[in-house]
């Protein structure tokens, strides 16, 4: 969900040799190219509209185009549905989903402090964004994750948990 720590986890994985590809950036870039002013509302509405028009896995299809150009491990940030997970699993070899969770009040505070142009400004906007995320099917994505990390503590704790998952995956491979 928004504010769960996806970007922080991706930055940490980048330090471990991964290249981060943000699905939200792909949507944002496409919306800007179509002349849409980016706000929390406009971006969510645009994302829903392209999913409705081109299929629920459209953002995953656009993401794969970028993934195929990368010559190292990739972390895909912002998977929103089981359909996207299924699409990635059909196209990629070693693919693992790590879901990050945190209570609403923690995530709301993080988003207010982050200050990205499409971030929420009010509790009403936060609730609106939460509802849009649910419409994408994000809860099914979380249920279908290979790993779930509760991100309620510090950034250092999140990094330790990410490293533990990486170690587990390496040992399993």
């Amino acid at each position: 969900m928004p504010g769960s720590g996806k970007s922080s986890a991706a930055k940490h994985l980048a330090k471990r040799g991964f290249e981060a590809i943000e699905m939200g950036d792909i949507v944002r870039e496409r919306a800007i190219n179509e002349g849409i002013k980016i706000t929390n509302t406009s971006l969510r509405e645009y994302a829903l509209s392209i999913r409705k028009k081109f299929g629920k896995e459209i953002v995953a299809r656009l993401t794969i185009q970028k993934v195929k150009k990368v010559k190292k491990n990739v972390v895909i940030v912002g998977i929103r549905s089981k359909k996207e997970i299924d699409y990635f699993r059909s196209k990629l070899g070693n693919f693992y989903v790590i879901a990050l969770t945190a209570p609403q009040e923690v995530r709301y505070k993080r988003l207010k402090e982050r200050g990205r142009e499409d971030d929420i400004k009010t509790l009403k906007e936060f609730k609106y964004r939460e509802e849009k995320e649910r419409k994408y099917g994000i809860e099914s994505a979380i249920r279908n994750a290979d790993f779930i990390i509760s991100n309620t503590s510090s950034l250092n704790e999140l990094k330790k948990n990410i490293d533990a998952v990486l170690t587990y995956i390496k040992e399993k491979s």
Side-chain angles (χ1 to χ4, degrees), residues 35-49:
I36 296 170
K37 184 180 185 310
I38 302 300
T39 65
N40 179 36
T41 302
S42 70
L43 195 59
R44 306 299 148 224
E45 293 296 335
Y46 179 75
L48 282 173
S49 74

Side-chain angles (χ1 to χ4, degrees), residues 57-114:
E57 72 288 338
I58 181 60
V59 182
R61 289 195 324 256
L62 295 169
T63 302
I64 281 291
Q65 295 171 10
K66 289 194 175 213
V67 169
K68 291 187 182 260
K69 295 176 184 173
V70 177
K71 303 283 189 246
K72 58 183 177 178
N73 288 329
V74 172
V75 56
I76 300 170
V77 182
I79 293 172
R80 293 289 189 264
S81 69
K82 182 178 183 309
K83 283 254 191 224
E84 290 175 343
I85 290 172
D86 293 343
Y87 183 82
F88 287 128
R89 285 192 171 134
S90 75
K91 301 292 180 190
L92 301 172
N94 293 324
F95 178 77
Y96 300 93
V97 177
I98 303 170
L100 301 178
T101 63
Q104 273 189 338
E105 50 284 352
V106 171
R107 293 183 295 103
Y108 175 66
K109 182 180 179 207
R110 288 176 183 161
L111 291 177
K112 288 219 24 123
E113 292 170 354
R114 184 169 68 180

Side-chain angles (χ1 to χ4, degrees), residues 143-173:
R143 283 192 305 274
N144 285 276
D146 300 295
F147 305 93
I148 297 176
I149 296 173
S150 177
N151 183 21
T152 58
S153 187
S154 67
L155 182 57
N156 282 337
E157 191 66 26
L158 173 62
K159 291 175 182 179
K160 286 178 191 175
N161 287 328
I162 295 290
D163 288 343
V165 168
L166 287 179
T167 299
Y168 177 84
I169 291 170
K170 285 178 187 175
E171 289 173 358
K172 183 179 167 189
S173 298

Side-chain angles (χ1 to χ4, degrees), residues 24-33 36-44 110-122 125 129:
D25 288 347
I26 292 168
V27 172
R28 212 172 279 105
E29 188 177 295
R30 187 177 165 114
I32 289 168
N33 289 341
I36 296 170
K37 184 180 185 310
I38 302 300
T39 65
N40 179 36
T41 302
S42 70
L43 195 59
R44 306 299 148 224
R110 288 176 183 161
L111 291 177
K112 288 219 24 123
E113 292 170 354
R114 184 169 68 180
R116 204 170 64 193
E117 65 184 3
D118 62 315
D119 276 339
I120 53 94
K121 311 287 185 269
T122 65
E125 286 180 0
R129 186 169 177 183

